[in-house]
Amino acid sequence: MGVESPKWTVERTGDSSATVTLRATSLTYQVRMTAGVPGVRYSDNYLDLRPGDEAVIVLERLPADFDPATVTVQTYGSS
């Protein structure tokens, strides 16, 4: 049985920045994200979230052609 990853949305906030809003629907351990491009700076990563928790992560140093669909979120025990 796999662990459910939190739900997330990505919003571009500037030429080289975006926010990722995570919403946990169950207990999640070591939530991590990748943006699919090298050199991105994350305001936070590897989070533990309880059901109902929300976290907003700021991504910086994104390229001009960044595609928000490349953001992936995984948690310990998820596939």
Side-chain angles (χ1 to χ4, degrees), residues 5 12-16 20 23 29 34 46-48 52-53 56 61-62 71-72 77:
S5 290
R12 192 75 190 237
T13 57
D15 291 339
S16 62
V20 178
R23 290 177 192 86
Y29 178 67
T34 61
Y46 292 90
L47 309 167
D48 297 335
D53 281 356
V56 178
R61 301 182 188 163
L62 296 169
V71 172
T72 60

Side-chain angles (χ1 to χ4, degrees), residues 13-76:
T13 57
D15 291 339
S16 62
S17 62
T19 58
V20 178
T21 302
L22 303 166
R23 290 177 192 86
T25 57
S26 62
L27 181 61
T28 56
Y29 178 67
Q30 294 293 299
V31 178
R32 67 185 183 277
M33 73 186 70
T34 61
V37 292
V40 174
R41 182 175 188 189
Y42 304 87
S43 64
D44 206 351
N45 216 346
Y46 292 90
L47 309 167
D48 297 335
L49 299 172
R50 295 182 179 147
D53 281 356
E54 183 174 289
V56 178
I57 311 302
V58 177
L59 308 180
E60 296 176 318
R61 301 182 188 163
L62 296 169
D65 62 349
F66 169 70
D67 179 2
T70 62
V71 172
T72 60
V73 175
Q74 291 185 314
T75 174
Y76 180 82

